[in-house]
Amino acid sequence: MNAEEFIRRYELGERDFSKVVLKGLQLNHLDLSGINLNQAWLESTCLMGTNLSSASISGANIRFCYLGSANLTNANLSNSQIEVTNLNETNLTNADLTKTFLCDSSLVKTDLTSATIQECNLSGSFCRQTIFTNASWDWNYTDVIFHKAILPNGDIESYNYHPSEAVESLQKRYESGERIFTFERSVDLTGIRLSGSTLHFKWISDCELRYAELRNCNFEKSNIQTSFFDFADLSGSVFQKAGLADNSFTAVNLSDASFEGAYMEDDDHRCSFDGAIFCRTIMPDGSIRNQGC
């Protein structure tokens, strides 16, 4: 089903979309409250800022999707399998995640206040400043990454968060006011926060920038290849004339970013943008992509 048909049917009053298959669709900033997506298959679909309050999404399969800033209050996500999905700043207040498989995903500043998280598997997910206040949970979070997460009892927890020496050093320099950084070898910057900085990469490959906060950063003329930006916030960042072959931008926010003049792909080298948000994004040829607005 394409986006136009899906939206038209919803606007005509249809609410039962159980078992629907939605692949590669842009469904951002819509009002889909009360929708039935039970056992649906959602892949590489963007629902940024979409109202899914009181939605029934039980037993669904959700992969490579962007649900950042979506409203999922009182939603039923029980028994769903959610993988490699961006849930940053999503409102899941009072949501039901009983027996939900929510793995390898990003939950930065996600609000799970009073949510039911019984037998929920969050293995490999990144929870920075995630709010679990008054949530009902009984699961083992051995494989979850917590960074300043607020637990049900109000405690603030950092668990399994082991930033690299490079991250700790750069973060201190950034917090002291430094804003220009040069990289000459592969580096692990998972979870780094360097918004507003100038970052110059000199012919580097195999870097990790997953979950990074890199809003309004300047990567102009950098060369960074076969690296991972997955779940990063790159809104407003500049990649003009940069070499970016074979990078992964899965579920990345690219709103207002500029790739003008950048080398991003040819027949043998392509970047992956599964679930990425494009809004006022300037592409290498100067065209503008607005599918995610």
Side-chain angles (χ1 to χ4, degrees), residues 13-63:
E14 187 172 346
R15 294 294 180 269
D16 186 359
F17 291 88
S18 55
K19 299 184 179 180
V20 71
V21 176
L22 304 175
K23 290 189 176 183
L25 303 191
Q26 299 289 337
L27 301 170
N28 304 298
H29 305 295
L30 298 177
D31 183 357
L32 300 176
S33 54
I35 195 169
N36 178 358
L37 290 169
N38 290 341
Q39 300 180 58
W41 183 281
L42 279 68
E43 184 173 335
S44 300
T45 289
C46 296
L47 293 129
M48 180 175 71
T50 291
N51 182 7
L52 291 159
S53 59
S54 301
S56 187
I57 316 176
S58 180
N61 282 280
I62 301 173
R63 300 178 68 246

Side-chain angles (χ1 to χ4, degrees), residues 85-90 92 97 102-112 117 120-132 137 139-152 155-162 190-191 193 210-213 231:
T85 288
N86 191 320
L87 290 155
N88 294 349
E89 300 185 20
T90 300
L92 284 156
L97 288 93
L102 177 52
C103 296
D104 300 316
S105 295
S106 184
L107 292 88
V108 175
K109 299 179 182 177
T110 303
D111 191 347
L112 286 147
I117 316 174
C120 179
N121 187 342
L122 285 168
S123 178
S125 288
F126 185 80
C127 300
R128 176 192 286 145
Q129 295 176 279
T130 309
I131 302 169
F132 294 97
W137 66 1
W139 47 273
N140 185 335
Y141 51 85
T142 302
D143 296 322
V144 185
I145 302 170
F146 282 167
H147 183 208
K148 299 181 179 179
I150 302 174
L151 301 188
D155 289 348
I156 297 176
E157 178 75 84
S158 290
Y159 183 82
N160 275 346
Y161 181 69
H162 305 296
T190 301
R193 288 162 289 150
R210 290 182 171 97
Y211 313 110
E213 291 185 12
F231 304 109

Side-chain angles (χ1 to χ4, degrees), residues 192-216:
I192 194 76
R193 288 162 289 150
L194 296 174
S195 294
S197 298
T198 296
L199 307 175
H200 186 56
F201 290 80
K202 295 184 175 181
W203 293 101
I204 300 175
S205 61
D206 303 315
C207 289
E208 294 282 351
L209 294 106
R210 290 182 171 97
Y211 313 110
E213 291 185 12
L214 301 169
R215 296 183 301 275
N216 302 311

Side-chain angles (χ1 to χ4, degrees), residues 75-95:
N76 179 7
L77 292 151
S78 62
N79 296 291
S80 288
Q81 184 159 316
I82 305 172
E83 299 177 88
V84 196
T85 288
N86 191 320
L87 290 155
N88 294 349
E89 300 185 20
T90 300
N91 190 346
L92 284 156
T93 300
N94 293 316

